[in-house]
Amino acid sequence: LESGESESYVSSVVEGFVMPHTLLHLGFAGRHLNDYLIDLLSKGKGYHFASISMRDIAQDIKEKLCYVAEDFNQEIKNAADGYDSEVLYELSGGDVIALGKERFQVPEALFQPSLMGRDKVGIHKGIMSSISKCTDDDTRRNLLGNIVICGGTTLFPGLADRISCEVKKLNKNEASVNIVALADRKYAAWKGGSILSSIMTFQQMWITRDQYNQLGPKSVHRALH
C-alpha cells in the first residue's frame, strides 16, 4: 500500500515484479483527508480555513494530532458519552483550535471513504482485492505475511495495527497477516528512485536533466514506453 498526498494505490509484488493485474488505484489520499478535516471543523465548530496558510495549518493538525482508532464505533460512543478529552492546537497568533472526535474521524475515512463523500473501497479492502487477484494459494499466503505500507498518509499512529485487524477479518484468519511499517516509509518512493538511479541495470529508465529540460513531462512517458 502506497498512500501519499494525492494518490493511494495497492499492488502485489511477486519475486520483485509488480503484477499489473493487481494494481488498484483507491481514489483518495492525504489531501482528501485535509479537506475532510477542514469540513468537519468548519461545519461542526465554525472554524474557517479559507486562506492557503490556514489549509497548511489543517494539514499540520492532521499530521500531529490525528490517530487511527482501534475500534471506531467504540471511540464514537466514548465521545458521545463525554469520555473524549479535547486537544488544543495553538495558532501563531495565540488563538487555539479545539479537536475532539475529529482526531480519529479523519483517518477513519481511509477505511470508510464514504465518510468524506467518496464512493470507494477502504484501504483494507483494496489490499485484499489486490492479493485475491493472485491465483496461487502460496503466493497469497506470502503476500498476506508481507504487507508493506509506505507514504506520508500511512504515518498515523495505530494505522498498521488497524490494517492488520481489518485484513484478518476479511481473510477470516485463514493465514498469518504481517504489516511492514518502516519508520522512514514517508520517503520510500524517493529511496526507491535513488536506488534505480544508481544501478546501471536500470539505465534505460533514467531521465537526465538535459532530457527533462528539452522535453519536459513528456520525457517521463518516453522513458516508460
Side-chain angles (χ1 to χ4, degrees), residues 13-25:
V13 180
V14 180
E15 296 183 355
F17 294 94
V18 174
M19 301 291 100
H21 66 287
T22 70
L23 181 61
L24 176 64
H25 290 271

Side-chain angles (χ1 to χ4, degrees), residues 1-5 63 148-155 181-195:
L1 167 69
E2 162 74 34
S3 185
E5 192 270 339
E63 294 176 353
V148 179
I149 63 174
C150 56
T153 302
T154 69
L155 295 175
L182 301 178
D184 61 349
R185 60 188 180 275
K186 180 178 181 179
Y187 307 107
W190 294 100
K191 292 179 68 176
S194 69
I195 292 171

Side-chain angles (χ1 to χ4, degrees), residues 44-55:
K45 295 188 174 179
Y47 296 111
H48 299 288
F49 294 83
S51 66
I52 294 177
S53 61
M54 285 300 290
R55 295 185 69 86

